[in-house]
Amino acid sequence: MDWRKLIHPNPKASTSQPAAPETRLSVEFLLGLFAAGWTQQQVLEKYPALTAEKLRAALAAADSQLVSSIANPELLEIIAEERRKKSM
């Protein structure tokens, strides 16, 4: 999945945090919901404008940002292997 097609800065939001289109839900906010213990089902029920695909894109965007900010070779190898599997 190319998250860049779905996740982008939201000019309507008070900050220019990356957000899912047609929502004001930033990637950071969505991650916060999961950190608070919410499930995917709870998030999708509470925010009907958000689809499962947009939610996965938000998580992929967060993954991309995190990976670029760390230097853990083992984690990078695991992520690359998972992406290779998915592309097959």
Side-chain angles (χ1 to χ4, degrees):
M1 165 189 300
D2 184 2
W3 60 267
R4 290 169 197 83
K5 293 180 181 177
L6 294 173
I7 304 298
H8 51 80
N10 184 349
K12 294 180 183 177
S14 58
T15 65
S16 61
Q17 299 266 341
E22 301 159 10
T23 76
R24 292 185 175 188
L25 303 173
S26 71
V27 170
E28 181 180 14
F29 177 77
L30 293 169
L31 288 174
L33 294 177
F34 285 107
W38 285 42
T39 65
Q40 177 177 327
Q41 182 178 350
Q42 289 172 309
V43 173
L44 294 176
E45 287 174 0
K46 176 73 174 175
Y47 302 100
L50 185 66
T51 64
E53 181 182 27
K54 291 175 186 176
L55 182 54
R56 282 192 304 276
L59 296 175
D63 172 58
S64 175
Q65 292 168 358
L66 286 172
V67 169
S68 67
S69 68
I70 60 173
N72 183 324
E74 183 180 358
L75 178 58
L76 294 174
E77 185 178 320
I78 291 168
I79 291 169
E81 179 61 28
E82 289 301 314
R83 288 181 179 157
R84 278 192 293 273
K85 288 178 188 176
K86 289 178 184 176
S87 68
M88 293 180 169

